mmCIF file of all heavy atoms in Angstrom:
data_model
loop_
_atom_site.group_PDB
_atom_site.id
_atom_site.type_symbol
_atom_site.label_atom_id
_atom_site.label_comp_id
_atom_site.label_asym_id
_atom_site.label_seq_id
_atom_site.Cartn_x
_atom_site.Cartn_y
_atom_site.Cartn_z
ATOM 1 N N SER A 1 0.788 -1.228 0.001
ATOM 2 C CA SER A 1 -0.005 -0.018 -0.010
ATOM 3 C C SER A 1 0.856 1.287 -0.006
ATOM 4 O O SER A 1 2.055 1.271 0.409
ATOM 5 C CB SER A 1 -0.871 0.036 1.240
ATOM 6 O OG SER A 1 -1.638 -1.181 1.364
ATOM 7 N N SER A 2 0.204 2.309 -0.474
ATOM 8 C CA SER A 2 0.764 3.676 -0.322
ATOM 9 C C SER A 2 -0.182 4.408 0.576
ATOM 10 O O SER A 2 -1.385 4.314 0.392
ATOM 11 C CB SER A 2 0.760 4.391 -1.691
ATOM 12 O OG SER A 2 1.534 3.636 -2.581
ATOM 13 N N VAL A 3 0.358 5.164 1.563
ATOM 14 C CA VAL A 3 -0.487 5.908 2.544
ATOM 15 C C VAL A 3 -0.189 7.330 2.523
ATOM 16 O O VAL A 3 1.005 7.744 2.505
ATOM 17 C CB VAL A 3 -0.245 5.343 3.947
ATOM 18 C CG1 VAL A 3 -1.054 6.028 5.005
ATOM 19 C CG2 VAL A 3 -0.579 3.892 3.990
ATOM 20 N N SER A 4 -1.266 8.262 2.501
ATOM 21 C CA SER A 4 -1.161 9.603 2.594
ATOM 22 C C SER A 4 -1.730 10.072 4.006
ATOM 23 O O SER A 4 -2.879 9.650 4.314
ATOM 24 C CB SER A 4 -1.936 10.245 1.488
ATOM 25 O OG SER A 4 -2.028 11.611 1.637
ATOM 26 N N VAL A 5 -0.971 10.789 4.669
ATOM 27 C CA VAL A 5 -1.365 11.437 5.948
ATOM 28 C C VAL A 5 -1.243 12.917 5.848
ATOM 29 O O VAL A 5 -0.222 13.430 5.424
ATOM 30 C CB VAL A 5 -0.466 11.006 7.070
ATOM 31 C CG1 VAL A 5 -0.913 11.621 8.424
ATOM 32 C CG2 VAL A 5 -0.431 9.420 7.239
ATOM 33 N N GLY A 6 -2.374 13.615 6.035
ATOM 34 C CA GLY A 6 -2.335 15.065 5.914
ATOM 35 C C GLY A 6 -3.701 15.620 5.477
ATOM 36 O O GLY A 6 -4.668 15.025 5.572
ATOM 37 N N VAL A 7 -3.605 16.855 5.032
ATOM 38 C CA VAL A 7 -4.835 17.702 4.665
ATOM 39 C C VAL A 7 -5.071 17.750 3.159
ATOM 40 O O VAL A 7 -5.930 18.536 2.805
ATOM 41 C CB VAL A 7 -4.757 19.101 5.350
ATOM 42 C CG1 VAL A 7 -4.708 18.996 6.825
ATOM 43 C CG2 VAL A 7 -3.534 19.891 4.852
ATOM 44 N N ASN A 8 -4.367 17.119 2.313
ATOM 45 C CA ASN A 8 -4.503 17.241 0.910
ATOM 46 C C ASN A 8 -4.445 18.659 0.400
ATOM 47 O O ASN A 8 -5.426 19.154 -0.005
ATOM 48 C CB ASN A 8 -5.799 16.541 0.461
ATOM 49 C CG ASN A 8 -5.891 15.076 0.841
ATOM 50 O OD1 ASN A 8 -6.302 14.774 1.959
ATOM 51 N ND2 ASN A 8 -5.696 14.215 -0.103
ATOM 52 N N PRO A 9 -3.300 19.309 0.541
ATOM 53 C CA PRO A 9 -3.142 20.765 0.322
ATOM 54 C C PRO A 9 -3.415 21.144 -1.132
ATOM 55 O O PRO A 9 -3.653 22.331 -1.413
ATOM 56 C CB PRO A 9 -1.697 21.066 0.686
ATOM 57 C CG PRO A 9 -0.979 19.824 0.561
ATOM 58 C CD PRO A 9 -2.029 18.737 0.917
ATOM 59 N N THR A 10 -3.471 20.214 -2.120
ATOM 60 C CA THR A 10 -3.655 20.612 -3.449
ATOM 61 C C THR A 10 -5.093 21.069 -3.658
ATOM 62 O O THR A 10 -5.412 21.880 -4.606
ATOM 63 C CB THR A 10 -3.371 19.416 -4.451
ATOM 64 O OG1 THR A 10 -1.976 19.015 -4.305
ATOM 65 C CG2 THR A 10 -3.639 19.727 -5.855
ATOM 66 N N PHE A 11 -6.106 20.594 -2.876
ATOM 67 C CA PHE A 11 -7.475 20.943 -2.972
ATOM 68 C C PHE A 11 -7.860 22.031 -1.992
ATOM 69 O O PHE A 11 -7.455 22.027 -0.820
ATOM 70 C CB PHE A 11 -8.253 19.634 -2.800
ATOM 71 C CG PHE A 11 -7.925 18.613 -3.823
ATOM 72 C CD1 PHE A 11 -7.171 17.562 -3.456
ATOM 73 C CD2 PHE A 11 -8.378 18.793 -5.155
ATOM 74 C CE1 PHE A 11 -6.711 16.618 -4.384
ATOM 75 C CE2 PHE A 11 -7.979 17.802 -6.060
ATOM 76 C CZ PHE A 11 -7.194 16.712 -5.702
ATOM 77 N N ILE A 12 -8.699 22.957 -2.466
ATOM 78 C CA ILE A 12 -9.010 24.170 -1.797
ATOM 79 C C ILE A 12 -10.058 23.811 -0.649
ATOM 80 O O ILE A 12 -10.869 22.916 -0.784
ATOM 81 C CB ILE A 12 -9.705 25.213 -2.669
ATOM 82 C CG1 ILE A 12 -8.663 25.589 -3.748
ATOM 83 C CG2 ILE A 12 -10.212 26.400 -1.960
ATOM 84 C CD1 ILE A 12 -9.216 26.474 -4.856
ATOM 85 N N GLY A 13 -9.981 24.523 0.447
ATOM 86 C CA GLY A 13 -10.911 24.416 1.586
ATOM 87 C C GLY A 13 -10.237 24.024 2.871
ATOM 88 O O GLY A 13 -9.100 23.434 2.841
ATOM 89 N N ASP A 14 -10.925 24.198 3.953
ATOM 90 C CA ASP A 14 -10.475 23.721 5.223
ATOM 91 C C ASP A 14 -10.651 22.306 5.252
ATOM 92 O O ASP A 14 -11.723 21.700 5.123
ATOM 93 C CB ASP A 14 -11.260 24.384 6.395
ATOM 94 C CG ASP A 14 -10.882 25.848 6.610
ATOM 95 O OD1 ASP A 14 -9.764 26.216 6.149
ATOM 96 O OD2 ASP A 14 -11.672 26.619 7.039
ATOM 97 N N ARG A 15 -9.549 21.547 5.466
ATOM 98 C CA ARG A 15 -9.621 20.080 5.444
ATOM 99 C C ARG A 15 -9.016 19.561 6.771
ATOM 100 O O ARG A 15 -7.930 20.100 7.231
ATOM 101 C CB ARG A 15 -8.908 19.550 4.244
ATOM 102 C CG ARG A 15 -9.442 20.128 3.016
ATOM 103 C CD ARG A 15 -8.668 19.722 1.771
ATOM 104 N NE ARG A 15 -8.647 18.240 1.609
ATOM 105 C CZ ARG A 15 -9.590 17.608 1.016
ATOM 106 N NH1 ARG A 15 -10.690 18.222 0.643
ATOM 107 N NH2 ARG A 15 -9.564 16.359 0.873
ATOM 108 N N GLU A 16 -9.540 18.615 7.444
ATOM 109 C CA GLU A 16 -8.937 17.960 8.574
ATOM 110 C C GLU A 16 -7.843 17.022 8.060
ATOM 111 O O GLU A 16 -7.881 16.496 6.908
ATOM 112 C CB GLU A 16 -10.028 17.154 9.232
ATOM 113 C CG GLU A 16 -11.070 17.884 10.008
ATOM 114 C CD GLU A 16 -12.036 17.061 10.800
ATOM 115 O OE1 GLU A 16 -11.738 15.869 10.962
ATOM 116 O OE2 GLU A 16 -13.072 17.568 11.281
ATOM 117 N N ARG A 17 -6.900 16.706 9.002
ATOM 118 C CA ARG A 17 -5.890 15.733 8.659
ATOM 119 C C ARG A 17 -6.568 14.430 8.543
ATOM 120 O O ARG A 17 -7.594 14.131 9.272
ATOM 121 C CB ARG A 17 -4.861 15.597 9.792
ATOM 122 C CG ARG A 17 -4.006 16.841 9.806
ATOM 123 C CD ARG A 17 -2.928 16.763 10.910
ATOM 124 N NE ARG A 17 -1.943 15.813 10.593
ATOM 125 C CZ ARG A 17 -1.287 14.967 11.400
ATOM 126 N NH1 ARG A 17 -1.724 14.967 12.681
ATOM 127 N NH2 ARG A 17 -0.421 14.133 10.973
ATOM 128 N N ARG A 18 -6.078 13.655 7.623
ATOM 129 C CA ARG A 18 -6.737 12.297 7.360
ATOM 130 C C ARG A 18 -5.675 11.336 6.925
ATOM 131 O O ARG A 18 -4.615 11.672 6.531
ATOM 132 C CB ARG A 18 -7.801 12.366 6.329
ATOM 133 C CG ARG A 18 -7.298 12.978 4.937
ATOM 134 C CD ARG A 18 -8.384 13.085 3.926
ATOM 135 N NE ARG A 18 -9.313 14.185 4.285
ATOM 136 C CZ ARG A 18 -10.403 14.445 3.639
ATOM 137 N NH1 ARG A 18 -10.724 13.715 2.550
ATOM 138 N NH2 ARG A 18 -11.214 15.364 3.952
ATOM 139 N N VAL A 19 -6.070 10.050 7.040
ATOM 140 C CA VAL A 19 -5.234 8.954 6.539
ATOM 141 C C VAL A 19 -5.935 8.267 5.368
ATOM 142 O O VAL A 19 -7.108 7.896 5.633
ATOM 143 C CB VAL A 19 -4.873 7.944 7.696
ATOM 144 C CG1 VAL A 19 -4.169 6.726 7.103
ATOM 145 C CG2 VAL A 19 -4.220 8.603 8.826
ATOM 146 N N GLU A 20 -5.371 8.249 4.216
ATOM 147 C CA GLU A 20 -5.834 7.575 3.067
ATOM 148 C C GLU A 20 -4.916 6.485 2.609
ATOM 149 O O GLU A 20 -3.736 6.718 2.468
ATOM 150 C CB GLU A 20 -6.074 8.645 1.971
ATOM 151 C CG GLU A 20 -7.059 9.706 2.369
ATOM 152 C CD GLU A 20 -7.189 10.721 1.262
ATOM 153 O OE1 GLU A 20 -8.002 10.527 0.385
ATOM 154 O OE2 GLU A 20 -6.411 11.704 1.292
ATOM 155 N N VAL A 21 -5.508 5.235 2.375
ATOM 156 C CA VAL A 21 -4.680 4.045 2.090
ATOM 157 C C VAL A 21 -5.010 3.636 0.640
ATOM 158 O O VAL A 21 -6.199 3.360 0.419
ATOM 159 C CB VAL A 21 -4.921 2.979 3.114
ATOM 160 C CG1 VAL A 21 -4.007 1.767 2.744
ATOM 161 C CG2 VAL A 21 -4.615 3.461 4.443
ATOM 162 N N HIS A 22 -4.026 3.495 -0.276
ATOM 163 C CA HIS A 22 -4.260 3.021 -1.535
ATOM 164 C C HIS A 22 -3.667 1.638 -1.571
ATOM 165 O O HIS A 22 -2.494 1.494 -1.459
ATOM 166 C CB HIS A 22 -3.517 3.876 -2.598
ATOM 167 C CG HIS A 22 -3.514 3.284 -3.963
ATOM 168 N ND1 HIS A 22 -4.639 3.077 -4.663
ATOM 169 C CD2 HIS A 22 -2.482 2.834 -4.680
ATOM 170 C CE1 HIS A 22 -4.348 2.510 -5.855
ATOM 171 N NE2 HIS A 22 -3.007 2.358 -5.876
ATOM 172 N N LEU A 23 -4.511 0.615 -1.636
ATOM 173 C CA LEU A 23 -4.004 -0.797 -1.789
ATOM 174 C C LEU A 23 -3.608 -0.990 -3.203
ATOM 175 O O LEU A 23 -4.451 -0.872 -4.112
ATOM 176 C CB LEU A 23 -5.173 -1.729 -1.298
ATOM 177 C CG LEU A 23 -5.278 -2.044 0.111
ATOM 178 C CD1 LEU A 23 -5.617 -0.787 0.959
ATOM 179 C CD2 LEU A 23 -6.368 -3.145 0.418
ATOM 180 N N HIS A 24 -2.412 -1.454 -3.480
ATOM 181 C CA HIS A 24 -1.857 -1.662 -4.837
ATOM 182 C C HIS A 24 -2.659 -2.936 -5.419
ATOM 183 O O HIS A 24 -2.783 -3.940 -4.653
ATOM 184 C CB HIS A 24 -0.389 -1.932 -4.767
ATOM 185 C CG HIS A 24 0.415 -0.845 -4.163
ATOM 186 N ND1 HIS A 24 1.756 -0.852 -3.972
ATOM 187 C CD2 HIS A 24 0.077 0.370 -3.768
ATOM 188 C CE1 HIS A 24 2.212 0.176 -3.492
ATOM 189 N NE2 HIS A 24 1.222 1.047 -3.400
ATOM 190 N N ASP A 25 -3.009 -2.781 -6.553
ATOM 191 C CA ASP A 25 -3.503 -3.998 -7.335
ATOM 192 C C ASP A 25 -4.835 -4.533 -6.706
ATOM 193 O O ASP A 25 -5.037 -5.751 -6.665
ATOM 194 C CB ASP A 25 -2.505 -5.072 -7.540
ATOM 195 C CG ASP A 25 -1.292 -4.545 -8.165
ATOM 196 O OD1 ASP A 25 -1.378 -3.703 -9.155
ATOM 197 O OD2 ASP A 25 -0.153 -4.838 -7.688
ATOM 198 N N ALA A 26 -5.623 -3.677 -6.065
ATOM 199 C CA ALA A 26 -6.876 -4.146 -5.359
ATOM 200 C C ALA A 26 -8.110 -3.428 -5.957
ATOM 201 O O ALA A 26 -8.052 -2.267 -6.304
ATOM 202 C CB ALA A 26 -6.778 -3.898 -3.914
ATOM 203 N N ASP A 27 -9.080 -4.258 -6.178
ATOM 204 C CA ASP A 27 -10.430 -3.644 -6.466
ATOM 205 C C ASP A 27 -11.434 -4.242 -5.545
ATOM 206 O O ASP A 27 -12.110 -5.215 -5.820
ATOM 207 C CB ASP A 27 -10.731 -4.001 -7.969
ATOM 208 C CG ASP A 27 -12.004 -3.309 -8.488
ATOM 209 O OD1 ASP A 27 -12.496 -2.362 -7.745
ATOM 210 O OD2 ASP A 27 -12.578 -3.768 -9.502
ATOM 211 N N VAL A 28 -11.484 -3.654 -4.289
ATOM 212 C CA VAL A 28 -12.252 -4.171 -3.225
ATOM 213 C C VAL A 28 -13.124 -3.047 -2.592
ATOM 214 O O VAL A 28 -12.565 -2.028 -2.466
ATOM 215 C CB VAL A 28 -11.288 -4.727 -2.155
ATOM 216 C CG1 VAL A 28 -12.065 -5.371 -0.961
ATOM 217 C CG2 VAL A 28 -10.337 -5.773 -2.649
ATOM 218 N N ASN A 29 -14.321 -3.331 -2.302
ATOM 219 C CA ASN A 29 -15.166 -2.414 -1.695
ATOM 220 C C ASN A 29 -14.899 -2.524 -0.177
ATOM 221 O O ASN A 29 -15.149 -3.453 0.489
ATOM 222 C CB ASN A 29 -16.685 -2.654 -1.885
ATOM 223 C CG ASN A 29 -17.576 -1.658 -1.248
ATOM 224 O OD1 ASN A 29 -17.124 -0.819 -0.381
ATOM 225 N ND2 ASN A 29 -18.880 -1.688 -1.457
ATOM 226 N N LEU A 30 -14.225 -1.495 0.368
ATOM 227 C CA LEU A 30 -13.733 -1.578 1.722
ATOM 228 C C LEU A 30 -14.636 -0.756 2.777
ATOM 229 O O LEU A 30 -14.359 -0.867 3.954
ATOM 230 C CB LEU A 30 -12.338 -0.938 1.846
ATOM 231 C CG LEU A 30 -11.304 -1.748 1.081
ATOM 232 C CD1 LEU A 30 -10.010 -0.969 1.106
ATOM 233 C CD2 LEU A 30 -11.089 -3.125 1.657
ATOM 234 N N TYR A 31 -15.667 -0.092 2.288
ATOM 235 C CA TYR A 31 -16.518 0.719 3.233
ATOM 236 C C TYR A 31 -17.089 -0.216 4.302
ATOM 237 O O TYR A 31 -17.593 -1.281 4.187
ATOM 238 C CB TYR A 31 -17.703 1.350 2.420
ATOM 239 C CG TYR A 31 -17.209 2.422 1.568
ATOM 240 C CD1 TYR A 31 -17.519 2.317 0.228
ATOM 241 C CD2 TYR A 31 -16.464 3.523 1.975
ATOM 242 C CE1 TYR A 31 -17.065 3.269 -0.758
ATOM 243 C CE2 TYR A 31 -16.049 4.518 1.092
ATOM 244 C CZ TYR A 31 -16.335 4.356 -0.273
ATOM 245 O OH TYR A 31 -15.905 5.340 -1.159
ATOM 246 N N GLY A 32 -16.893 0.319 5.548
ATOM 247 C CA GLY A 32 -17.411 -0.384 6.718
ATOM 248 C C GLY A 32 -16.448 -1.455 7.301
ATOM 249 O O GLY A 32 -16.699 -2.049 8.302
ATOM 250 N N MET A 33 -15.324 -1.803 6.508
ATOM 251 C CA MET A 33 -14.491 -2.788 6.978
ATOM 252 C C MET A 33 -13.341 -2.137 7.790
ATOM 253 O O MET A 33 -13.137 -0.974 7.770
ATOM 254 C CB MET A 33 -13.752 -3.490 5.763
ATOM 255 C CG MET A 33 -14.762 -4.293 4.963
ATOM 256 S SD MET A 33 -13.828 -5.245 3.772
ATOM 257 C CE MET A 33 -15.230 -6.072 2.919
ATOM 258 N N ASN A 34 -12.634 -2.973 8.563
ATOM 259 C CA ASN A 34 -11.491 -2.522 9.384
ATOM 260 C C ASN A 34 -10.228 -2.713 8.635
ATOM 261 O O ASN A 34 -10.000 -3.833 7.964
ATOM 262 C CB ASN A 34 -11.459 -3.194 10.723
ATOM 263 C CG ASN A 34 -12.556 -2.749 11.584
ATOM 264 O OD1 ASN A 34 -12.717 -1.512 11.773
ATOM 265 N ND2 ASN A 34 -13.285 -3.728 12.150
ATOM 266 N N LEU A 35 -9.342 -1.747 8.592
ATOM 267 C CA LEU A 35 -8.154 -1.925 7.893
ATOM 268 C C LEU A 35 -7.024 -1.608 8.927
ATOM 269 O O LEU A 35 -6.995 -0.557 9.567
ATOM 270 C CB LEU A 35 -8.021 -0.814 6.770
ATOM 271 C CG LEU A 35 -7.140 -1.059 5.569
ATOM 272 C CD1 LEU A 35 -7.465 -2.249 4.810
ATOM 273 C CD2 LEU A 35 -7.257 0.198 4.694
ATOM 274 N N SER A 36 -6.101 -2.544 9.030
ATOM 275 C CA SER A 36 -4.934 -2.257 9.897
ATOM 276 C C SER A 36 -3.759 -1.996 8.977
ATOM 277 O O SER A 36 -3.647 -2.559 7.902
ATOM 278 C CB SER A 36 -4.572 -3.499 10.798
ATOM 279 O OG SER A 36 -4.370 -4.555 10.116
#
């Protein structure tokens, strides 16, 4: 995976810090699942 931690400064607006995880080579619906 590749992980982004931060406020995504490229996009306009007040943004909270967040953690976004890109799973390589995955096409999985992860909504509601737990990810460690």
